[in-house]
Amino acid sequence: MSSSTDETLFHVVPDEHGRFGGYGGKYVSETLMSALVELETLYRRLSEDEAFQSELDEDLATYVGRPSPLYEAHRWSAVVGGARIFLKREDLNHTGAHKVNNTIGQALLAKYMGKRRVIAETGAGQHGVATATIAARLGLECQVFMGEEDIRRQALNVYRMKLLGADVVSVTSGSRTLKDAMNEAMRDWVTNVDDTFYVIGTVAGPHPYPMLVRDFQCVIGREARAQSLVQIGRLPDALVACVGGGSNAIGLFHPFLEDADVAMFGVEAGGHGVDTDEHAAPLTAGSPGVLHGNRTYLMQSADGQIMETHSISAGLDYPGVGPEHAWLKDIGRVNYVVANDDEALEAFHTLTRVEGIMPALESSHALAYAARLAAQMSSEQTIIVNLSGRGDKDIHTVAALDGIEI
Amino acid sequence: MSRISERFRQLTARDRKALIPYIVAGDPAPSVTVPLMHRLVESGADIIELGVPFSDPMAEGPVIQQGHERALKHGVSLQSVLDMLREFRQADRDTPVLLMGYANPLMHMGYAVFVEAAAAQGLDGLLTVDIPPEEVDDINRELKRAGMDNIFLIAPTTPGQRIEQITGRASGFIYYVSLKGVTGAGHLDTAQVAHRLADIRRYSDLPVAVGFGIKDAASARAVAEVADGVVVGSALVSVAAQVVADGGDAAAAIDAAGNLLLAIRQGIDCIAS
């Protein structure tokens, strides 16, 4: 950690304008501004409201199944060599990923605001499923926007959302992936802002979303921190998480930010390699700009057009990243690195075979980097990897790469 | 006085409402844009609003989104939009032109570099959909230095206190978004618009133009009854694109858009008589 960083900074971001250093903010059309102000005002009040917090905690315990275990992957650690590796098992949450931590929180906000309808964008489908799930439980109408290309890649999750009663809208504009689904969700929100709550799935979007999604996901890091003190007897030496928009990573990292001895690695999707045009690694190979309501690192052309991205995992296939990550990169608190498609795939197979845990392809990027990192560390040292989701949804993708038709 | 303010002053003196057509620069093809701008002026445009193509036009409905996509396929960039403006200015020094677009291409070029280049080509104003007052100070500083107007949106959801915050930073005119929705939406409520314009005028003496959902002479006339100006976008983009899709050439597309604007001009001018 940079010695010049004032540790108390981590408590005060974002500022009242929603800025993390020079990132974040509220770059949206005027029609949405009062909805964002209303949301922020309510959220700031409810985040200190005991009844709201205890309702949230109750849901996390009895509906999501928290706390999620911290599991020591002995056999996988032995295979990769070096440090002891622990997995934070977000894949065991209800709906199979970390996404539900946030949708529960936002759905409660929607309920307190009296909204009858929720909308969401989704890439891999995990956030869409998590939103549809909560909508079913609370009796809210739910519409999920999903790129045509992602609908093809994630047929299983599309069907799950439909079973849950959600309407899945195929987005055919632009690159037909997550960024276009987010554009379309914004357009719907502008039109139906009176009765609709927009459940954003990651720590991006206009303020207050990056802040409130982070806060809801911090349960991951709070638990992991307490569990490591009990199970390891001290804090871990390193944390590793994949970064698309970055919600599972910020959820794990944030409660450790002031622990200067804990190193942090956010793993972006290297696709076919960051030296090609086919990747999704804006922090590694992009530059700052404005997309979807916030200033952050983006994949963009020389003319400031947003570029199409590539990743084997639909959930990381996004040209932007949460503004807090942009700030954490610039101040040097978190290291942002990449794992390519083939490395993620190899990690997927290895973990499945030696631990009997099938990781999501998104989480497999974190595993791939953790394997590299562990090999350079000693057996006295420890790493926590956020296993952000389960891999069942990716079986078709993996099978197709292996030349198998299911 | 800016060219935009001067234009509104002249219109008021002649008891005429401003007609502000919007087209996407480079759509349906880059060679069409400058001749189309001239035709729009001949057909009764008072101010031209030129859309800067962007890969992620969040506030646009399907018609204008496709216009952005077509322009980008032709490789149109912010720089090429400025080149089109320079070409337009060679034959027209009088008609105010404003650019409407999104923050990222401007930010990527650099606000200071953009404003200096745009001022040199004779740009009069800028409307950036995703730069609300909270984020506007950096670019406003540059615009003021160049004497260029910053046109702000006010929406049906904007409360009174915010209207004041916006009008305090605005110049040229105010753009009132007639409905909750994207460009080209079909649920314009003129009575509601009239009510909101009265709210805005309580805070500002700037002219107020109304856009979103105005597609023909009748809806333009209804809005012009209560507003100082009318913006027409999707209808023009759509009619030109349709001609090309049906196999028509550039001249036919320009004719179609020009004729539609002329009909709208006549519709608006009926109010005075």
Side-chain angles (χ1 to χ4, degrees):
Chain A
M1 177 176 175
S2 157
S3 57
S4 64
T5 305
D6 179 355
E7 292 191 354
T8 58
L9 267 178
F10 299 120
H11 287 303
V12 299
V13 292
D15 68 12
E16 74 267 35
H17 304 292
R19 297 203 182 99
F20 303 86
Y23 302 101
K26 276 191 222 177
Y27 294 87
V28 295
S29 67
E30 177 58 27
T31 309
L32 294 177
M33 289 303 293
S34 33
L36 292 172
V37 171
E38 183 193 6
L39 175 59
E40 183 184 356
T41 306
L42 178 93
Y43 176 69
R44 289 205 188 270
R45 182 166 64 75
L46 290 180
S47 60
E48 284 165 16
D49 179 285
E50 275 181 32
F52 178 83
Q53 288 303 325
S54 68
E55 192 173 352
L56 181 60
D57 291 345
E58 172 81 10
D59 279 352
L60 289 173
T62 63
Y63 191 73
V64 177
R66 303 206 69 94
S68 69
L70 184 67
Y71 167 76
E72 182 165 7
H74 288 283
R75 273 170 47 82
W76 189 57
S77 298
V79 169
V80 303
R84 294 166 66 192
I85 305 176
F86 292 75
L87 306 177
K88 180 61 175 163
R89 299 290 308 275
E90 293 299 299
D91 60 315
L92 294 178
N93 292 339
H94 180 43
T95 73
H98 71 291
K99 293 291 187 187
V100 71
N101 302 329
N102 166 49
T103 57
I104 286 241
Q106 289 197 47
L108 273 184
L109 293 177
K111 196 176 92 172
Y112 275 69
M113 291 172 98
K115 306 287 186 185
R116 59 161 195 90
R117 174 174 180 266
V118 292
I119 56 170
E121 83 294 336
T122 198
Q126 291 303 100
H127 174 60
V129 167
T131 305
T133 299
I134 304 308
R137 175 162 172 266
L138 295 179
L140 299 168
E141 191 186 315
C142 178
Q143 214 160 31
V144 179
F145 295 89
M146 190 167 183
E148 193 181 45
E149 172 66 16
D150 290 334
I151 286 179
R152 189 186 58 73
R153 290 195 279 194
Q154 301 289 342
L156 186 64
N157 271 343
V158 173
Y159 188 55
R160 285 168 82 190
M161 287 184 268
K162 287 179 180 166
L163 289 174
L164 288 160
D167 178 21
V168 180
V169 181
S170 174
V171 176
T172 57
S173 56
S175 61
R176 305 171 185 211
T177 59
L178 179 55
K179 85 175 171 75
D180 309 284
M182 202 154 177
N183 291 336
E184 211 53 42
M186 288 275 190
R187 290 176 187 129
D188 181 289
W189 197 30
V190 163
T191 307
N192 300 298
V193 62
D194 290 336
D195 67 355
T196 296
F197 188 102
Y198 180 16
V199 182
I200 292 185
T202 191
V203 284
H207 180 65
Y209 282 99
M211 171 180 76
L212 67 87
V213 176
R214 172 197 73 193
D215 292 354
F216 290 135
Q217 290 294 359
C218 274
V219 66
I220 302 171
R222 281 197 305 272
E223 286 177 8
R225 198 172 182 286
Q227 288 164 326
S228 56
L229 290 175
V230 172
Q231 293 175 233
I232 307 171
R234 58 184 176 82
L235 294 179
D237 296 291
L239 305 175
V240 182
C242 64
V243 177
S247 70
N248 89 80
I250 213 81
L252 177 65
F253 295 167
H254 200 268
F256 290 91
L257 284 175
E258 290 173 18
D259 299 313
D261 294 334
V262 179
M264 300 184 189
F265 300 87
V267 187
E268 295 192 291
H272 295 148
V274 290
D275 50 345
T276 72
D277 282 341
E278 296 186 19
H279 62 84
L283 289 167
T284 306
S287 58
V290 167
L291 178 68
H292 295 148
N294 66 102
R295 182 168 186 273
T296 187
Y297 279 82
L298 301 174
M299 305 263 300
Q300 54 185 326
S301 72
D303 302 327
Q305 305 295 345
I306 308 307
M307 283 163 57
E308 294 185 12
T309 51
H310 165 80
S311 170
I312 192 174
S313 69
L316 301 182
D317 209 347
Y318 180 66
V321 62
E324 190 162 8
H325 286 293
W327 177 66
L328 291 170
K329 172 193 160 76
D330 281 8
I331 64 170
R333 178 64 186 95
V334 177
N335 306 288
Y336 292 92
V337 296
V338 292
N340 294 353
D341 283 355
D342 52 355
E343 297 172 288
L345 201 58
E346 186 190 338
F348 170 93
H349 282 298
T350 309
L351 192 80
T352 302
R353 252 177 281 127
V354 303
E355 293 288 352
I357 296 171
M358 195 176 290
L361 284 175
E362 289 78 12
S363 322
S364 300
H365 287 73
L367 293 165
Y369 185 78
R372 258 192 270 158
L373 181 67
Q376 302 158 16
M377 293 166 68
S378 78
S379 60
E380 310 298 307
Q381 292 181 294
T382 55
I383 299 175
I384 293 179
V385 182
N386 200 5
L387 196 70
S388 54
R390 56 190 292 165
D392 305 52
K393 69 182 176 59
D394 294 314
I395 284 177
H396 282 87
T397 304
V398 174
L401 288 167
D402 288 342
I404 295 163
E405 202 172 315
I406 297 176
Chain B
M1 185 180 279
S2 76
R3 203 156 15 195
I4 292 174
S5 300
E6 174 60 22
R7 178 54 57 104
F8 271 103
R9 196 189 57 76
Q10 292 163 355
L11 291 169
T12 308
R14 291 159 53 201
D15 201 20
R16 173 171 149 131
K17 301 297 174 113
L19 176 56
I20 309 172
Y22 166 96
I23 56 172
V24 180
D27 174 51
S31 61
V32 173
T33 301
V34 174
L36 176 56
M37 289 168 77
H38 289 309
R39 175 64 70 85
L40 294 173
V41 173
E42 287 162 24
S43 307
D46 298 300
I47 297 171
I48 289 182
E49 190 179 333
L50 202 52
V52 181
F54 183 49
S55 52
D56 294 81
M58 284 192 308
E60 315 299 345
V63 166
I64 293 180
Q65 281 173 47
Q66 285 159 22
H68 282 245
E69 287 185 19
R70 284 189 296 266
L72 290 175
K73 276 206 187 92
H74 287 293
V76 175
S77 65
L78 180 55
Q79 184 56 55
S80 39
V81 177
L82 294 177
D83 293 342
M84 291 173 197
L85 178 60
R86 183 180 53 205
E87 195 187 331
F88 175 76
R89 280 279 174 250
Q90 285 166 5
D92 188 331
R93 304 289 311 168
D94 301 325
T95 308
V97 176
L98 64 106
L99 295 188
M100 178 172 186
Y102 294 81
N104 198 55
L106 307 174
M107 197 179 266
H108 198 69
M109 183 180 275
Y111 289 158
V113 174
F114 162 72
V115 171
E116 194 186 332
Q121 309 312 340
L123 185 70
D124 302 289
L126 179 70
L127 195 173
T128 318
V129 178
D130 54 353
I131 305 189
E134 284 79 352
E135 308 292 351
V136 86
D137 290 348
D138 289 343
I139 196 162
N140 246 6
R141 208 173 302 123
E142 303 298 332
L143 293 171
K144 283 220 166 75
R145 194 175 300 160
M148 218 178 276
D149 287 319
N150 195 1
I151 315 302
F152 279 85
L153 298 173
I154 288 179
T157 52
T158 307
Q161 202 188 343
R162 261 190 86 75
I163 293 178
E164 202 171 8
Q165 194 187 347
I166 292 169
T167 55
R169 289 172 167 80
S171 61
F173 67 96
I174 296 288
Y175 186 133
Y176 179 66
V177 177
S178 67
L179 46 79
K180 292 172 203 146
V182 292
T183 51
H187 50 281
L188 180 65
D189 177 347
T190 328
Q192 185 64 27
V193 169
H195 180 72
R196 292 290 292 167
L197 294 196
D199 285 345
I200 295 169
R201 289 187 172 121
R202 227 173 287 153
Y203 295 98
S204 174
D205 294 330
L206 285 172
V208 185
V210 175
F212 285 42
I214 297 157
K215 50 191 59 166
D216 51 24
S219 51
R221 178 167 44 200
V223 168
E225 297 267 6
V226 293
D228 303 301
V230 173
V231 184
V232 184
S234 297
L236 291 170
V237 171
S238 170
V239 77
Q242 192 57 50
V243 167
V244 173
D246 293 343
D249 61 8
I254 291 170
D255 281 344
N259 291 340
L260 175 62
L261 197 73
L262 196 59
I264 291 172
R265 174 85 261 170
Q266 287 161 354
I268 294 173
D269 290 347
C270 280
I271 302 168
S273 55

